[in-house]
Amino acid sequence: MKMRIDEIKNLSDLCTGCMACVDACPKQCIQPVTRPDGFRYAEISDVDCVHCGKCFAVCPVETHSKNTGERHLYAAYAQNDKTRNNGSSGGVFELLARHFLSQGYAVCGAAFDGTVLRHRIIYSEEELLPLLKSKYVQSDTTGIYREILSLLKNGGRLFFCGTPCQVSALKNSVPENLQERLVTADIICHGVPSQKTFDRYIGALEEKENGKVRNFSFRVKNNKYLHAHGFSYCLEKDGKEKTIDGIYLQSSYYTAFKKYLFFRESCYNCRYATLDRVSDITLGDFWGIEKYPFPADSDKGVSMIITNTNVGKAAFEAVTSELVWREFPVEYGVESNYCLTKATRKPAKRDAIIKSLNTEGYESTAHAYFGCTAVEKIYASLPPAIRNLRKKLRKR
C-alpha cells in the first residue's frame, strides 16, 4: 500500500488547503471539510480508499521540486497608466496574461464570484479583469486541477498564477510529458485568511449598512489618500447602488490582514518562503524601491519580478517594451520582502483571535483585536510625497 496524506506527520499544521488531493483521488473519497478555524482541510473516507497514493503524490507538503538555477530580479511598472492602475502593483501580471493569451494559451488565476474567491480559467482578454489585483482570501481551487489536466491533455496550453503552494500542487498534478504546456507564476505570499472569516466580515458590513455587499476590491489605488492599500465595494440598498471606498485602516478585516492576525496555520510555517521558487516567474510588490535608483512613485505601484527559469525570463522579456523596468541584484528584493526567504511570524494572539471568531463573533473579535493606533491613522492620511520622503529617510 502507498502512503496517504493523512499519514503525514502534523498534517493539520502543515496542510495548505490546496485541495489537489481531492481532484487526484480516483475514487472520490476525499472531501474538503471546513474546520473550526475557518479553513478547509481534506478528509479521507476509508470505505472506498484503495491506497493508490495519488493524494500523497500531489500534496505540496511532502512533494515539491524547486528551481535552483540562475534567477534575475527586476523592478517594473506598465507604461500605460490604465494597465498600471488595474493591478495591485505595477501591472505586470496583466501584460504577461495578455501576452500568453495572444500566443494561444489559456490563463488561470483567482477571481471573485460575488464575494467568494475561486480560481478560474479564461480564454480571452475580455475575461481578464476579474483576475487582476490582489485578493486577501484563500481561493477555492477544488476542481481546477482536474480542469487544467483535461485542457493540457487535449492539446491546450496554460499560464497559471497562484500562491507558491498552489503552483506546487498543480505541478505535482501534471504528468511530466505535459509540463511543457504549462507556464507558472507564483506570488510573494505573506499568508492567507479563510473564506469563512471574510464571509463573516462581509456579513458584519451588510448588517451595519443594512444592504448587500457586491464586488469587494483590495488594493484600489484611486482612493482619497492615494494610498497603496485602498479598498472599495458596491453596496446595494433600497434598490440603489453606491460605491464605498477607503484605505485599509478603515476596514477591520484589511487591517487584520496587514498585521497577519488570522492566517492559516501552515502559512506561519511556510516551506515555500525561499528564493528557490517552484514557478517559472515570481510576482509581487517591490516594497522599498524608494531607496534605489528607479523612476517611480511607489504608491502608484511597482512590481517585483523574479525569473526562475529560462521560460520565465523569456516571458518577461516579451513584455518589456510595454514596461519601465530595471534589473537589480536579487539581494535588493530580499531586503524589502522578507517573505521571499522567511515565513510570516505568527502573532502571539492569533490562536485567541481564531477562537474568538467562533465564540464571540466577528464584530466583537474585531473590536477586541483589529484596532489601529492614532499614529497609524495619521501616517496613512499624509500626502504621498511626505510618506515617500519618510520611507527614503527610514531606509538610509
Side-chain angles (χ1 to χ4, degrees), residues 185-361:
D186 73 82
I187 58 174
I188 301 173
C189 179
H190 294 268
V192 291
S194 71
Q195 179 68 53
K196 186 173 182 178
T197 298
F198 187 62
D199 291 343
R200 286 167 166 161
Y201 168 63
I202 295 297
L205 278 181
E206 292 179 336
E207 184 175 350
K208 178 182 177 181
E209 300 287 353
N210 192 27
K212 186 70 175 176
V213 171
R214 309 281 190 191
N215 304 322
F216 196 101
S217 294
F218 298 93
R219 301 297 298 276
V220 176
K221 297 174 182 176
N222 56 343
N223 54 78
K224 176 181 177 181
Y225 302 109
L226 299 179
H227 196 282
H229 281 280
F231 71 90
S232 72
Y233 61 88
C234 176
L235 181 71
E236 294 182 3
K237 182 177 180 179
D238 300 327
K240 298 179 181 180
E241 294 184 355
K242 68 174 181 177
T243 298
I244 296 177
D245 54 22
I247 58 174
Y248 76 96
L249 292 173
Q250 297 162 329
S251 163
S252 59
Y253 179 93
Y254 207 159
T255 298
F257 172 85
K258 288 271 288 172
K259 295 183 178 182
Y260 315 146
L261 296 181
F262 46 29
F263 291 170
R264 192 179 186 100
E265 185 67 41
S266 61
C267 298
Y268 302 114
N269 302 285
C270 181
R271 299 185 174 192
Y272 293 90
T274 169
L275 279 177
D276 296 331
R277 312 298 286 188
V278 293
S279 66
D280 295 296
I281 191 165
T282 296
L283 301 172
D285 292 272
F286 205 130
W287 303 120
I289 190 64
E290 301 86 7
K291 65 178 182 178
Y292 304 123
F294 188 70
D297 178 349
S298 60
D299 282 323
K300 291 182 179 179
V302 179
S303 294
M304 178 184 292
I305 305 97
I306 304 175
T307 59
N308 306 306
T309 65
N310 290 334
V311 170
K313 191 169 186 291
F316 176 72
E317 290 174 349
V319 300
T320 51
S321 63
E322 300 178 78
L323 294 170
V324 175
W325 65 280
R326 181 173 178 178
E327 184 170 3
F328 289 101
V330 173
E331 291 74 20
Y332 286 19
V334 175
E335 288 178 10
S336 301
N337 290 268
Y338 79 86
C339 279
L340 271 173
T341 55
K342 299 177 183 177
T344 294
R345 301 180 190 91
K346 183 178 178 179
K349 55 188 175 182
R350 184 268 184 186
D351 291 345
I353 288 171
I354 295 297
K355 181 178 179 180
S356 179
L357 286 167
N358 283 318
T359 59
E360 306 300 324

Side-chain angles (χ1 to χ4, degrees), residues 31 59 93 303:
Q31 298 297 323
C59 180
F93 172 72
S303 294

Side-chain angles (χ1 to χ4, degrees), residues 3 30 32 64 69-70 72 90 94 101 106 147 155 169 173 217 219 249 303 306 343 364 381:
M3 284 191 68
I30 305 179
H64 48 269
E70 184 178 276
H72 298 268
E94 179 176 351
L101 286 167
E147 189 177 350
S173 301
S217 294
R219 301 297 298 276
L249 292 173
S303 294
I306 304 175
S364 294
S381 66

